[in-house]
Amino acid sequence: NEGGQGFYRVHYGSQLLASLLAAPAETMTPIERFNLVNDAWAESLAGELSASAFLDLATHFVEETDRHVWTPLLSSLGFLARVVPADLSPSLERLTRTQLRGVAARLGWSPRPDENELVRELRGEILRALGTLGNDERVQRPARDQYAAGGEMAALDPNVFAAVLAIVAHTGGETEYAEYLRRFKTAQTPQEEQRYLRSLADFRSPALVRRTLDLSLNGQVRTQDAPFLVRDLLMGVHSRELAWAFVKEHWEEMERLYPSQSGLRRLCEGITGLVTPALEEEVRAFFATRDVAFGGKTLLQYLERLRVAVAFREREAAPLRAYLARF
């Protein structure tokens, strides 16, 4: 253990992991399982534990039922989806389906009367991850059916509703995009408006990505909301290069329109998704010539997170290629 700042960080070597996992998972409390997964993922990001070892660890949690334990597991899958080379994406999708299909089958699509809110939240998160990160047609098909049912969408649990919107956007085209845009503009509640607006960033067609980027500056989206939309596009594997080119081209306009402390700062968080060596080099060169002040060390922290992600990609590329060949 490494003490400091009132917490302990555990270094997980292969022997320690093996001994921890030798005991049945049910003998560990949820907080112990969360700490094990969360600390191991932190070790993997830091280069102390290989990504392959972490993924082996994750296989022991396919029966997991606690939402908090699933949080780092799903976060790791999202991170890997951003950093792996494009040719490894199909293998990572297969791994994701292997990891998530069991819990999705147990949870189903509809809440049960005795469920608590955490279980309902977990259902939405698992379905969303399976339909997007896992690109799973078994989930995408019923999600499209649910959306096509129209009025029945209102009867869905809010967590499932959000998952359906993300999945339909992930697989959708011009028709679905036009419907989402219309619903954003005619939304009856702020929550509905935000759901449809943020879901526009999930459409993957380059033409639709460009349309969404244009919305951030043409007055159709409020200036307090537009930075979040651009941030989401910078974080998307399908949209990050187009979004980064757009930000570079329109930076001065964005500086003028968006509040620096709330809007522009949130937009710049999206640079942490530009996780290729070439994009990182562009990002550093871009901000080296601009006076960006968000207060404190916010921009430096974003750049450090980007460096960690790119270093992970470079360090783990070959081992992950070998590991994912199993799937």
Side-chain angles (χ1 to χ4, degrees):
N1 287 340
E2 224 178 52
Q5 304 297 319
F7 63 88
Y8 288 92
R9 181 179 177 186
V10 180
H11 293 284
Y12 293 101
S14 57
Q15 290 184 340
L16 176 58
L17 280 177
S19 63
L20 285 168
L21 295 172
E26 59 267 22
T27 66
M28 302 173 68
T29 65
I31 189 62
E32 288 171 336
R33 300 197 302 275
F34 167 80
N35 284 334
L36 172 60
V37 175
N38 195 56
D39 289 348
W41 178 238
E43 292 291 290
S44 185
L45 290 176
E48 300 287 344
L49 182 72
S50 72
S52 299
F54 176 82
L55 290 171
D56 278 338
L57 166 68
T59 64
H60 292 265
F61 290 87
V62 292
E63 301 294 325
E64 181 58 55
T65 58
D66 189 275
R67 177 183 177 268
H68 298 301
V69 182
W70 272 107
T71 296
L73 290 168
L74 294 176
S75 176
S76 68
L77 291 172
F79 180 90
L80 289 171
R82 287 195 296 274
V83 303
V84 299
D87 66 306
L88 292 185
S89 293
S91 296
L92 182 61
E93 289 170 358
R94 287 191 288 271
L95 179 151
T96 300
R97 294 195 290 270
T98 299
Q99 185 79 0
L100 302 187
R101 273 179 173 171
V103 67
R106 291 193 300 275
L107 291 170
W109 286 81
S110 302
R112 300 177 182 86
D114 59 343
E115 283 182 355
N116 60 39
E117 185 58 29
L118 288 177
V119 175
R120 291 169 181 253
E121 291 173 2
L122 177 61
R123 174 181 292 105
E125 291 167 4
I126 292 292
L127 290 173
R128 176 175 183 146
L130 198 48
T132 57
L133 299 177
N135 211 25
D136 192 345
E137 177 60 24
R138 297 185 192 178
V139 170
Q140 292 170 349
R141 189 184 309 109
R144 290 192 295 266
D145 291 343
Q146 296 266 21
Y147 188 77
E152 295 182 16
M153 280 281 286
L156 290 177
D157 177 81
N159 301 288
V160 175
F161 182 93
V164 167
L165 287 186
I167 294 167
V168 170
H170 180 80
T171 61
E174 291 278 353
T175 300
E176 292 80 9
Y177 186 93
E179 174 68 8
Y180 277 42
L181 187 59
R182 183 186 69 79
R183 288 186 175 272
F184 155 65
K185 292 179 177 180
T186 61
Q188 299 300 304
T189 66
Q191 185 180 39
E192 181 185 9
E193 179 190 69
Q194 287 298 310
R195 278 181 171 166
Y196 279 100
L197 173 62
R198 299 291 290 275
S199 293
L200 293 176
D202 295 324
F203 286 86
R204 294 185 291 169
S205 158
L208 297 179
V209 170
R210 293 187 185 94
R211 286 180 62 182
T212 305
L213 287 165
D214 288 339
L215 290 175
S216 70
L217 288 178
N218 65 12
Q220 294 190 58
V221 176
R222 292 188 297 268
T223 56
Q224 64 263 41
D225 294 329
F228 292 90
L229 190 61
V230 178
R231 181 194 63 180
D232 293 347
L233 290 165
L234 287 167
M235 296 291 289
V237 174
H238 63 284
S239 55
R240 60 190 176 197
E241 294 190 8
L242 287 173
W244 174 236
F246 185 88
V247 168
K248 289 188 295 182
E249 181 181 356
H250 298 281
W251 177 258
E252 286 74 19
E253 186 177 358
M254 290 175 170
E255 276 192 309
R256 187 172 65 255
L257 289 175
Y258 302 157
S260 63
Q261 290 301 314
S262 56
L264 208 58
R265 181 179 61 187
R266 290 304 183 192
L267 181 153
C268 285
E269 186 181 12
I271 67 174
T272 61
L274 303 176
V275 290
T276 70
L279 287 175
E280 183 194 14
E281 184 177 352
E282 288 185 20
V283 168
R284 291 187 178 277
F286 180 84
F287 285 107
T289 61
R290 284 162 178 81
D291 183 19
V292 179
F294 299 136
K297 298 182 178 180
T298 301
L299 181 58
L300 291 176
Q301 291 169 345
Y302 291 159
L303 292 172
E304 176 60 20
R305 286 167 57 188
L306 177 59
R307 174 87 293 266
V308 168
V310 174
F312 179 99
R313 176 189 176 112
E314 294 175 324
R315 181 178 67 247
E316 297 288 351
L320 275 174
R321 184 171 297 279
Y323 186 91
L324 293 173
R326 309 178 193 178
F327 296 90

